[in-house]
């Protein structure tokens, strides 16, 4: 196994809404994920809101099309898993010590925007929220761990959603930039790596999750994307002005899409499917809208206007590096016999089933070669370093008692990560792709984004919280913990068990 660059950023990834808890502490406001209920593999997550007639509604997060008078919020009698998360808010010292024990070079977390600006619209930040992240970053730095900060990871303050439908409205850009400036200045010297929006392309699949928008449709997706692109480009510029050492990336839920057959119609379908990734990369890496998207807007009757000033902002605010989540590949077909034989996938990006590969217990197709293909494609298109900031597999881990100790044999994580690291190393060593680092998703068990359950576990660390509300939150090292520690120590040169 060829060695990876000495500067390679190994670590793990999380998001505030999925692990922090501390829902009403330190002056925090409510964010979009706080209004999203627990689901499971068979029960979808819902979002709660009130309409002007006083009725409380629950709508399925992935299909919701809420009325225009919806006022999103948190109501009695619903189970919102983000409110407790895994209680990182109180246990961050213990958790970061465990990351330090594994030798993390970097730790990806998000700042919970509503901790800093509770409704999103304040002009002055909330000091208690700022202080919390000071403490967290100091703790990371104590172990030599560089924080990698996502500025917005499914945590739009609800105040913005209720005031003007958040990212549908141009005014949200200013609120976001104020927030970015605030945290950029405050954490100067502590944080160097930033991501502007998690999985920015998910606005087309779950506008609620991605952008705190309850309605759907091509116009909505176009408006959200435009406003987030401008906001991201401004954030890049602001962070560079604050500290020229800052490196700012985008984040796209990425994949590789294959044609089901060599029928040119299937090949074209697969190419077009890739637009849902490349559109977002194109604008953030090149600084302008690609022609295929403008044509699509014309066909769909989407109103699109970009002022000269905003066009210049996009150009001036291209990202320093590209970051991706990669979980699975997908397949496109135009054959009615094949269509409908669908696979599951991250945020519904499954496509049809690929007969050549297996799938996780949640039906996400496992394809390490797809990661190598994805990395090559990004490097060839943009020649910007790529950071794999999410990858891994959700498994049904159990804690067992052996020789008086509680242990967890999560071989599924080790096998998945090993095969993907091998594919990534091939992309680096055989194909010459510049990959900066690798932070497996959910390095400590946390709440699932799509299903809202604890039962789907990704962690190197088992957290004893269960979906029925039992468990004391105690942390236990899984088998993968010791494996990951060894992989980091030898910089990926030995991936054996
Ligand atoms: C990505 C999100 C993460 C994370 C991951 C795994 O889409 O950025 O927040 O949760 O997917 O998905 P899930 O939690 O649904 O298994």
């Amino acid at each position: 196994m060829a060695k990876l660059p000495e500067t390679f950023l190994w670590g793990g990834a999380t998001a505030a809404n999925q692990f922090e808890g501390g829902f009403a502490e330190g002056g925090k406001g409510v964010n979009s994920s706080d209004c999203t209920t627990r689901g499971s593999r068979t029960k979808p997550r819902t979002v709660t809101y009130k309409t002007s007639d006083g009725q409380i509604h629950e709508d399925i997060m992935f299909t919701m099309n809420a009325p225009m008078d919806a006022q999103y919020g948190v109501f009695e009698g619903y189970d919102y898993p983000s409110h407790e998360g895994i209680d990182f808010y109180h246990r961050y010292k213990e958790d970061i010590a465990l990351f330090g024990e594994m030798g993390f070079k970097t730790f990806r977390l998000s700042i919970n925007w509503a901790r800093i600006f509770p409704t999103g619209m304040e002009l002055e930040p909330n000091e208690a929220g700022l202080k919390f992240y000071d403490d967290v970053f100091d703790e990371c730095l104590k172990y030599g761990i560089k924080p990698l900060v996502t500025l917005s990871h499914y945590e739009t303050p609800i105040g913005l959603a209720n005031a003007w439908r958040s990212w549908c409205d141009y005014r949200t850009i200013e609120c976001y930039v104020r927030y970015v400036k605030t945290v950029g200045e405050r954490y100067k010297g502590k944080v160097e790596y930033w991501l502007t929006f998690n999985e920015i392309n998910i606005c087309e699949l779950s506008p609620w999750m991605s952008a705190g928008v309850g309605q759907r449709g091509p116009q909505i997706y176009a408006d959200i994307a435009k406003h987030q692109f401008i906001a991201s480009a401004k954030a890049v510029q602001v962070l560079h002005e604050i500290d020229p050492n800052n490196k700012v990336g985008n984040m796209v839920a990425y994949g590789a899409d294959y044609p089901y057959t060599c029928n040119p119609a299937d090949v074209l379908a697969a190419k077009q499917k890739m637009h849902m990734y490349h559109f977002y990369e194109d604008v953030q890496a090149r600084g302008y809208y690609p022609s295929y998207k403008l044509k699509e807007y014309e066909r769909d009757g989407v109103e699109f206007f970009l002022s000269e000033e905003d066009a210049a902002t996009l150009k001036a605010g291209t990202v320093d590096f590209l970051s991706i989540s990669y979980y699975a590949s997908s397949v496109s077909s135009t054959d009615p016999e094949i269509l409908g034989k669908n696979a599951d996938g991250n945020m519904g990006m499954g496509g049809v089933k690929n007969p050549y590969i297996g799938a996780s217990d949640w039906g996400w197709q496992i394809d390490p070669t797809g990661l190598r293909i994805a990395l090559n494609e990004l490097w060839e298109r943009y020649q910007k370093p790529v950071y794999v900031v999410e990858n891994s597999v959700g498994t049904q881990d159990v804690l067992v008692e052996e020789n008086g100790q509680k242990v967890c044999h999560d071989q599924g994580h080790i096998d998945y990560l090993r095969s993907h690291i091998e594919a990534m190393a091939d992309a680096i060593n055989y194909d010459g792709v510049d990959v900066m680092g690798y932070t497996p998703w959910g390095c400590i068990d946390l709440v699932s984004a799509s299903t809202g359950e604890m039962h789907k576990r990704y962690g190197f660390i088992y957290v004893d919280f269960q979906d029925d509300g039992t468990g004391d939150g105690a942390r236990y090292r899984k088998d993968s913990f010791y494996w990951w520690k060894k992989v980091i120590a030898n910089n990926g040169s030995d991936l054996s068990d």
Side-chain angles (χ1 to χ4, degrees):
M1 171 109 222
K3 268 202 159 249
L4 295 171
E6 283 305 325
T7 52
F8 198 74
L9 292 162
W10 300 99
T14 58
N17 76 86
Q18 290 170 259
F19 89 143
E20 233 174 44
F23 166 63
E25 292 185 60
K28 175 183 158 295
V30 178
N31 69 45
S32 50
S33 290
D34 291 330
C35 312
T36 311
T37 63
R38 193 187 303 274
S40 73
R41 222 159 119 199
T42 48
K43 179 174 149 260
R45 298 191 85 178
T46 61
V47 178
T48 53
Y49 56 84
K50 214 180 224 178
T51 39
S52 41
D53 56 5
Q55 292 266 348
I56 296 171
H57 303 260
E58 242 192 307
D59 238 354
I60 296 174
M61 180 177 68
F62 279 102
T63 54
M64 75 187 285
N65 211 344
M68 295 298 273
D69 63 346
Q71 288 285 299
Y72 304 94
V74 162
F75 304 100
E76 278 289 309
Y78 294 91
D79 179 11
Y80 302 104
S82 76
H83 296 199
E84 269 117 38
I86 58 157
D87 197 25
F88 176 80
Y89 189 77
H90 296 108
R91 299 179 193 235
Y92 68 92
K93 288 194 179 166
E94 179 188 354
D95 293 342
I96 294 168
L98 288 166
F99 302 153
E101 189 182 325
M102 280 186 276
F104 277 24
K105 311 273 184 223
T106 186
F107 170 47
R108 176 176 176 226
L109 74 170
S110 63
I111 295 181
N112 211 332
W113 183 354
R115 268 194 205 291
I116 313 297
F117 289 96
T119 68
M121 289 175 289
E122 292 80 358
L123 298 180
E124 294 302 324
N126 168 34
E127 176 54 32
L130 288 168
K131 168 81 172 55
F132 170 65
Y133 294 104
D134 260 325
D135 295 345
V136 168
F137 298 144
D138 288 344
E139 202 64 20
C140 288
L141 296 170
K142 199 166 112 185
Y143 295 94
I145 300 172
K146 287 177 200 280
L148 163 62
V149 170
T150 317
L151 289 154
S152 178
H153 190 134
Y154 303 159
E155 289 133 6
T156 309
I158 215 65
L160 295 170
N162 289 335
W164 52 55
R165 295 164 71 227
S166 67
W167 285 103
C168 282
D169 196 290
Y170 197 89
R171 284 169 287 183
T172 295
I173 299 172
E174 197 185 323
C175 298
Y176 176 84
V177 174
R178 186 179 307 119
Y179 155 64
V180 173
K181 195 162 184 290
T182 304
V183 296
E185 280 168 354
R186 176 75 171 224
Y187 306 124
K188 180 174 172 174
K190 293 186 183 181
V191 179
E192 205 180 310
Y193 292 93
W194 304 87
L195 306 178
T196 54
F197 288 95
N198 182 63
E199 297 191 329
I200 188 167
N201 53 334
I202 293 305
C203 67
E204 295 183 29
L205 298 170
S206 178
W208 176 256
M209 185 176 238
S210 162
V213 174
Q215 292 78 29
R216 310 185 69 88
Q219 185 68 54
I220 305 268
Y221 309 148
D223 290 345
I224 295 173
K226 182 175 95 172
H227 296 142
Q228 292 197 339
F229 286 148
I230 298 167
S232 171
K234 287 188 181 217
V236 170
Q237 293 176 79
V238 162
L239 290 168
H240 284 164
E241 273 158 29
I242 292 172
D243 186 349
N245 288 322
N246 277 333
K247 290 159 207 56
V248 192
N250 67 342
M251 202 296 208
V252 172
Y254 204 74
D257 196 78
Y258 310 136
Y260 191 77
T261 68
C262 54
N263 178 343
D266 284 0
V267 178
L268 183 65
K271 186 166 175 50
Q272 286 170 341
K273 170 80 181 280
M274 290 304 290
H275 287 169
M276 80 159 288
Y277 311 123
H278 289 150
F279 164 49
Y280 297 86
E281 303 284 9
D282 286 349
V283 179
Q284 295 193 291
R286 294 178 175 153
Y288 57 89
Y289 273 65
S291 53
Y292 58 80
K293 199 65 184 184
L294 297 175
K295 286 287 172 199
E296 182 189 311
Y297 285 168
E298 262 174 53
R299 279 195 306 278
D300 291 350
V302 168
E303 281 176 36
F304 177 73
F305 169 75
L306 194 63
S307 70
E308 271 180 34
E309 193 187 333
D310 289 337
T313 299
L314 294 184
K315 244 324 221 211
T318 55
V319 289
D320 302 319
F321 64 91
L322 310 173
S323 87
I324 58 166
S325 60
Y326 174 89
Y327 290 91
S329 58
S330 58
V331 176
S332 290
S333 171
T334 51
D335 180 347
E337 292 280 300
I338 302 298
L339 283 171
K341 292 182 182 155
N342 286 344
D344 290 322
N346 185 21
M347 307 294 158
M349 301 190 304
V352 300
K353 275 200 178 111
N354 185 333
Y356 298 99
I357 56 179
S360 77
D361 289 350
W362 275 260
W364 299 16
Q365 304 190 97
I366 300 176
D367 179 15
T369 307
L371 175 60
R372 181 173 173 185
I373 294 168
L375 292 170
N376 270 277
E377 183 132 31
L378 288 167
W379 181 243
E380 286 163 13
R381 283 178 76 96
Y382 308 107
Q383 289 88 49
K384 290 200 187 236
V386 187
Y387 202 158
V388 182
V389 299
E390 279 188 35
N391 176 238
S392 192
V393 61
T395 56
Q396 310 187 56
D397 301 340
V398 284
L399 207 54
V400 291
E401 188 115 5
E402 279 175 15
N403 308 319
Q405 294 260 340
K406 285 193 175 158
V407 293
C408 176
H409 301 307
D410 61 332
Q411 192 63 34
H413 289 139
I414 298 175
D415 293 342
Y416 180 102
L417 294 174
R418 180 175 22 236
S419 62
H420 285 73
I421 294 169
E422 281 168 350
M424 174 182 69
D426 285 346
I428 296 170
N429 295 315
Y430 288 84
D431 309 328
V433 181
D434 184 354
V435 183
M436 297 163 63
Y438 180 79
T439 56
W441 174 251
C443 50
I444 181 165
D445 288 348
L446 38 63
V447 175
S448 155
S450 57
T451 57
E453 59 191 323
M454 275 304 299
H455 180 64
K456 186 181 193 186
R457 293 176 184 270
Y458 289 87
F460 302 122
I461 300 161
Y462 186 97
V463 176
D464 185 12
F465 276 133
Q466 314 299 331
D467 291 320
D468 61 4
T470 60
D472 60 6
R475 278 57 169 153
Y476 300 91
R477 294 165 185 80
K478 300 185 194 174
D479 288 355
S480 62
F481 181 100
Y482 303 102
W483 178 79
W484 192 233
K485 181 177 174 177
K486 192 181 77 173
V487 171
I488 297 178
N490 65 44
N491 201 26
S493 61
D494 177 7
L495 300 175
S496 63
D497 279 5

